[in-house]
Amino acid sequence: MATITLRITGLEQVLNTMNYQDIVAGPLFTFLKQSGLEVEKESKLLAPSNLGHLHDSITTRVEETRAIIGPSVFYGGYVELGTPPHWPNIDAIREWVRQKLRPQVLSVSILTRRPSKQLKGDTRQRAINSLAFLVARRISQVGTKPHPYMRPGAEAAEPAIKGYAEAMAREIETRWPDGH
């Protein structure tokens, strides 16, 4: 899974020297949640979409001192980073062809590029199988290109995250003993 992890340098030292629960926990959780959701939103805007599974799988989870943002589908990292040449799952490629190439597209002759009768039944399935094989063979030769969406999403969210960090600092300052 391709994830973006937000870390706050020096946080561990602060947590060891003060009453973490009373002063930092609330503002830190709010900062991590807001920041994670901002990265999630921006990444979803950039995620390539066929059926929307990748887009829908991008989520944010906040743990004690970090936010974990990323897709839950197994192929999220492959989309982000691309792949070397490999033989892909032919069933997945068939489904991709089926979704990408609607019946009206499959009614064009692959060889002559001229309109022909709309393909139906076994003829349509053979055309899907042939196209899936050609796509799979190409992936086996050159791999897949990267389509970054998480890193650019995090970069796009950076101005908002800076604002959330400033708000967190102000909130912690108001909770700090003796106003310091």
Side-chain angles (χ1 to χ4, degrees):
M1 169 177 19
T3 61
I4 303 294
T5 302
L6 302 173
R7 296 192 190 278
I8 301 173
T9 305
L11 181 63
E12 297 303 322
Q13 293 84 2
V14 172
L15 297 179
N16 291 331
T17 61
M18 56 188 281
N19 186 344
Y20 164 71
Q21 290 300 325
D22 293 341
I23 299 172
V24 177
L28 176 61
F29 179 85
T30 301
F31 165 74
L32 292 172
K33 188 68 173 177
Q34 289 175 323
S35 299
L37 291 173
E38 190 71 27
V39 172
E40 177 183 326
K41 177 186 83 172
E42 295 294 338
S43 296
K44 283 181 173 183
L45 292 172
L46 298 170
S49 181
N50 182 31
L51 299 175
H53 297 305
L54 176 60
H55 170 278
D56 294 345
S57 79
I58 301 170
T59 59
T60 300
R61 185 175 80 242
V62 176
E63 295 179 354
E64 192 171 311
T65 59
R66 66 183 183 157
I68 301 168
I69 310 106
S72 59
V73 293
F74 76 91
Y75 56 85
Y78 303 137
V79 173
E80 176 86 6
L81 303 172
T83 64
H86 67 285
W87 194 261
N89 178 317
I90 195 68
D91 292 331
I93 299 296
R94 262 192 220 103
E95 184 57 31
W96 180 83
V97 168
R98 202 175 274 113
Q99 292 298 321
K100 282 291 194 187
L101 302 176
R102 302 286 184 218
Q104 63 272 17
V105 175
L106 285 176
S107 66
V108 175
S109 170
I110 295 169
L111 298 175
T112 64
R113 300 189 187 276
R114 284 182 275 150
S116 61
K117 294 180 190 173
Q118 186 170 355
L119 302 177
K120 295 181 181 173
D122 288 344
T123 306
R124 181 173 192 276
Q125 190 57 48
R126 281 195 306 276
I128 289 171
N129 289 342
S130 295
L131 288 171
F133 172 77
L134 293 173
V135 169
R137 185 174 67 184
R138 183 70 176 160
I139 292 171
S140 78
Q141 295 167 344
V142 299
T144 59
K145 293 188 313 184
H147 294 280
Y149 59 97
M150 291 301 302
R151 181 172 302 280
E155 290 167 357
E158 192 174 329
I161 292 171
K162 286 179 181 177
Y164 300 144
E166 291 168 4
M168 176 183 67
R170 285 191 302 273
E171 179 64 22
I172 291 172
E173 188 175 357
T174 65
R175 294 171 176 227
W176 200 268
D178 301 328
H180 296 99

